Amino acid sequence: DISNMIAISESTPGPMGVNMATYVGFHIEGIAGALIAPLSLVLPSVIIILIIFRLLDRVKSAPVVQNVLYGQNCLSYHG
């Protein structure tokens, strides 16, 4: 069964982890599982990104944060 899961996950477009979660969710709970499993895989990352965005939005005018962002900007310039 694991070989089927890997084969299907690799043959469908998208990240393998999301495809595997969808496959497992579908086999355990049908359509509802196929929808809930990938959401439960992706949702924690989205929540963490939103929290970081809120925190950065609050401190973006602090001199330390401005200097860090300026340094990152210089490092990421590819001219």
Side-chain angles (χ1 to χ4, degrees):
D1 207 29
I2 189 83
S3 60
N4 287 337
M5 180 172 42
I6 293 171
I8 290 172
S9 295
E10 288 181 345
S11 66
T12 54
M16 190 170 178
V18 173
N19 293 339
M20 290 180 90
T22 305
Y23 181 85
V24 170
F26 181 77
H27 278 284
I28 293 175
E29 289 294 326
I31 298 294
L35 295 173
I36 292 170
L39 280 176
S40 66
L41 180 71
V42 174
L43 197 58
S45 298
V46 171
I47 291 170
I48 290 170
I49 289 169
L50 290 173
I51 290 170
I52 291 172
F53 173 75
R54 292 260 186 186
L55 291 173
L56 186 58
D57 195 41
R58 289 183 182 162
V59 298
K60 68 181 175 186
S61 60
V64 173
V65 175
Q66 289 295 314
N67 291 335
V68 168
L69 293 176
Y70 180 75
Q72 285 181 336
N73 192 26
C74 292
L75 293 173
S76 65
Y77 181 71
H78 296 286

